[in-house]
Amino acid sequence: MSYSFISYPDFKMAWKIAIFVAGILGVGFINPIWAAESQQSAKTVRIGFIQSSRAPGESVQYKSFIAGLRELGYSEGKDIHVESRYAEGRLDRMPALVNDLIREKVDVILAPNNVVIRAAKEATKTIPIIMVTTVDPVAAGYVKSFAHPGGNITGLANLSREISAKRLELLKEVLPKLSRVALLWDGDGPGPAVAVKEYLEAARGFKLDVRSLDIHGPKPDLAGTFESIKTARSEALIIVGNALMYQYARDVCDMAAKYRLPSMTEEGRYVAAGGLISYGANVADLYRRAAGYAVDIIKGAKPGDLPIRFAEKFEIGVNLKTARHLDIIIPQRVLIQADNVLK
């Protein structure tokens, strides 16, 4: 038996060749993985966002949602692209805008009101939908349960209807002699119908006579409605908020001022439109938290597995300019509690 040996120079050369070949093979094997990871990290998630009465880039909802994404390490224009749609104050345009987003193949739809939620639910069973709703999503048929929504919808339920009694209590603090109240609501919306029952029930505890008046879109007869309120000699107005009502928030608040009616509203944005006082969920906080759902879905979570969450922060808003116009002095104890006071 004979043995052959490789000389040291030859062995050194062979070793270099082996390392070179291994390097080529290694790079060839690893590069596709790097490429895949790079491609995955470079993918921009597209989120469809529809607003009713203001351009999305200007709204508190939009700004808060973007801020929430930023807090979680995602930035608009880099990791996220928001496909904004503006309904120009027309609720009847929203279903068409939803279908437009679906044709654009967005990855997620943020549904900020019940019109959009319903349209999106009917239009797609696969695209994740993050809702921010003022109605019970189980009773409305959007989800199966709060803990396990199922399907492709999850999000936040702003069930502020449960604090209707608190709103009446605040109104009585501002107007101690109050006895007759008008309740203004959208007769076509599912949420306001539930709210009316709760307000009527709460009003009995305060011995208030309530006149319920419903309006109907797309162009409600506000002049006739306020004449009815005047005829009923109502001393204050409760505005039940929803998409239609906010569409006409400025008109409603102007009419209330004209008829010298102090108004209680459910969101601070009505106070900004000229309402007297508001008590409700912090809208900015809701949309900041909605960003958390978007990030969970981006990371692979299924909407149906993400439980419905509720409003956590509530705030009081007061418009002192409106108070002066109505010759009303807001009690100091109310001002101390107020989160937003417009002067």
Side-chain angles (χ1 to χ4, degrees):
M1 181 179 295
S2 62
Y3 297 89
S4 60
F5 294 90
I6 302 176
S7 65
Y8 177 75
D10 291 337
F11 176 81
K12 188 176 180 180
M13 180 59 69
W15 179 247
K16 287 183 177 180
I17 293 172
I19 291 175
F20 178 75
V21 172
I24 294 174
L25 292 175
V27 170
F29 176 75
I30 293 171
N31 269 351
I33 297 176
W34 287 347
E37 288 180 350
S38 176
Q39 186 177 3
Q40 184 177 6
S41 63
K43 175 177 167 54
T44 300
V45 177
R46 302 170 73 206
I47 300 177
F49 194 117
I50 299 173
Q51 285 286 283
S52 59
S53 301
R54 295 186 69 180
E58 301 172 0
S59 70
V60 171
Q61 292 92 327
Y62 178 88
K63 292 178 180 178
S64 301
F65 181 68
I66 295 299
L69 289 171
R70 194 178 301 117
E71 289 172 7
L72 296 169
Y74 290 78
S75 59
E76 161 64 335
K78 183 180 178 182
D79 314 291
I80 302 289
H81 174 68
V82 179
E83 286 284 346
S84 301
R85 295 295 183 273
Y86 175 39
E88 297 178 347
R90 291 177 52 188
L91 301 181
D92 59 319
R93 291 193 61 193
M94 291 186 176
L97 293 177
V98 168
N99 288 326
D100 179 50
L101 290 174
I102 292 172
R103 283 192 297 269
E104 290 291 327
K105 298 181 179 180
V106 295
D107 300 292
V108 182
I109 295 174
L110 180 60
N113 60 52
N114 295 302
V115 177
V116 176
I117 297 168
R118 285 186 169 185
K121 179 177 172 59
E122 292 175 1
T124 178
K125 304 298 181 186
T126 57
I127 298 175
I129 299 167
I130 302 169
M131 65 179 173
V132 180
T133 179
T134 56
V135 303
D136 183 330
V138 178
Y142 300 152
V143 298
K144 293 179 180 178
S145 71
F146 291 105
H148 302 286
N152 62 321
I153 301 178
T154 188
L156 295 128
N158 172 18
L159 299 182
S160 56
R161 309 302 183 201
E162 298 174 0
I163 57 173
S164 300
K166 175 66 176 177
R167 295 190 182 102
L168 293 178
E169 181 184 344
L170 271 172
L171 199 54
K172 285 285 287 183
E173 281 196 64
V174 175
L175 305 167
K177 297 181 180 180
L178 182 67
S179 62
R180 292 186 298 274
V181 178
L183 193 61
L184 187 62
W185 57 290
D186 173 13
D188 299 320
V194 175
V196 168
K197 295 179 182 178
E198 293 175 355
Y199 276 117
L200 291 174
E201 183 178 346
R204 285 195 289 269
F206 292 96
K207 297 181 179 179
L208 291 172
D209 178 23
V210 180
R211 175 70 185 274
S212 174
L213 296 130
D214 58 321
I215 61 173
H216 300 270
K219 295 181 179 180
D221 179 15
L222 295 179
T225 299
F226 274 88
E227 279 298 320
S228 297
I229 293 173
K230 179 181 177 180
T231 301
R233 296 184 298 162
S234 297
E235 301 158 340
L237 175 68
I238 296 173
I239 301 171
V240 182
N242 78 335
L244 175 68
M245 198 63 70
Y246 185 62
Q247 180 180 341
Y248 290 95
R250 178 68 64 180
D251 297 323
V252 169
C253 292
D254 286 348
M255 294 287 282
K258 176 183 176 181
Y259 283 84
R260 301 191 64 78
L261 280 168
S263 59
M264 165 59 73
T265 65
E266 299 179 341
E267 293 181 34
R269 56 183 179 170
Y270 290 90
V271 167
L276 177 64
I277 189 168
S278 68
Y279 181 61
N282 184 306
V283 173
D285 183 62
L286 288 172
Y287 282 85
R288 180 189 61 79
R289 292 168 62 201
Y293 281 99
V295 170
D296 286 343
I297 290 169
I298 290 169
K299 291 180 176 179
K302 296 180 179 179
D305 296 334
L306 299 174
I308 306 299
R309 298 188 177 93
F310 304 94
E312 295 177 347
K313 294 183 179 180
F314 295 85
E315 59 184 9
I316 295 172
V318 177
N319 190 320
L320 291 180
K321 182 178 179 180
T322 299
R324 288 192 294 270
H325 172 77
L326 298 172
D327 296 322
I328 292 173
I329 297 176
I330 304 296
Q332 191 63 29
R333 61 182 176 273
V334 174
L335 289 175
I336 291 173
Q337 297 178 69
D339 302 272
N340 299 304
V341 178
L342 300 181
K343 299 179 180 180

